[in-house]
Amino acid sequence: MWLKKIAALGGVGFAGLALIGAGATATFTQTTQSYQQITAGTMNVQLSTAVTGASLSNNNQTLTLPAFGPTQSSFTTGDQLVTITNNGNITVQEITEQMGVTGDSALINQLYVCEVSSGTVIYNGPLASGLSAQQIAGTLAPNATDSYIINVYAGAEPTACGAVTQIGATAVAGTSTAPSLDNNAQGKTATVSVTISYQG
């Protein structure tokens, strides 16, 4: 009788041990993670010039060259150098260049303009015909500079472009072949602008 009870208890004990062993199987687990902080760069292209009387505004992004005149019928503003500096911390692409003008059409239609950058003619001819945006391909790394020369003129005057009118050609300083202003331009005013767009 006692043997039967012991045997029965022994059977229950083994069954319990078997169940505990089946439910406690060990599994190793692990996770890994990687992180990367991204910081957006800052564009900060600024202008400067050594032209006496010029002024800067809008965090040096707007340059106003001094008013010129009254002029003779044949005149030149001179080759005015404008320097572009990338004071940001990312490389920027110069995408487009566009000249603009406001004022009296009687004068605007008689003005000529020479623009040179890196020794290349950007435009040289009648201002009114050069107002379309041009694609350009300049790259400015942080702290790098670029520049252009702008000269508004009429008549046979010395410019950085001289008689070279082909866009993209090497500029050769010399005397222009533009006509002088006629009587219709007397007393009239015009304001010429150059706008360069950047992408970074």
Side-chain angles (χ1 to χ4, degrees):
M1 187 110 173
W2 284 104
L3 289 172
K4 288 181 182 179
K5 287 182 179 178
I6 291 170
L9 288 171
V12 171
F14 286 122
L17 289 172
L19 290 173
I20 291 171
T25 302
T27 302
F28 293 139
T29 62
Q30 178 184 354
T31 61
T32 64
Q33 292 178 312
S34 63
Y35 296 92
Q36 183 177 30
Q37 177 177 291
I38 307 299
T39 301
T42 303
M43 292 179 65
N44 185 19
V45 180
Q46 298 184 344
L47 302 177
S48 61
T49 185
V51 176
T52 302
S55 62
L56 290 160
S57 59
N58 188 29
N59 190 33
N60 296 341
Q61 295 173 26
T62 301
L63 169 66
T64 302
L65 294 166
F68 189 87
T71 73
Q72 305 292 327
S73 58
S74 179
F75 76 94
T76 175
T77 59
D79 295 328
Q80 302 166 107
L81 178 66
V82 176
T83 300
I84 304 165
T85 304
N86 181 6
N87 287 321
N89 57 13
I90 59 173
T91 297
V92 300
Q93 305 291 324
E94 297 168 302
I95 302 300
T96 60
E97 179 275 350
Q98 184 166 17
M99 285 187 290
V101 64
T102 58
D104 195 297
S105 60
L107 175 59
I108 290 171
N109 291 334
Q110 297 186 56
L111 292 177
Y112 281 66
V113 62
C114 160
E115 185 182 0
V116 173
S117 180
S118 301
T120 300
V121 174
I122 303 300
Y123 183 76
N124 185 31
L127 173 60
S129 300
L131 301 179
S132 298
Q134 292 190 58
Q135 296 293 317
I136 54 179
T139 300
L140 280 179
N143 301 314
T145 62
D146 195 2
S147 63
Y148 62 88
I149 290 170
I150 186 80
N151 188 330
V152 183
Y153 64 94
E157 296 288 341
T159 74
C161 299
V164 180
T165 58
Q166 181 181 348
I167 294 173
T170 300
V172 179
T175 302
S176 69
T177 58
S180 300
L181 302 178
D182 64 25
N183 287 338
N184 293 327
Q186 291 188 71
K188 306 301 191 296
T189 61
T191 301
V192 180
S193 64
V194 175
T195 302
I196 299 177
S197 298
Y198 308 89
Q199 179 176 295

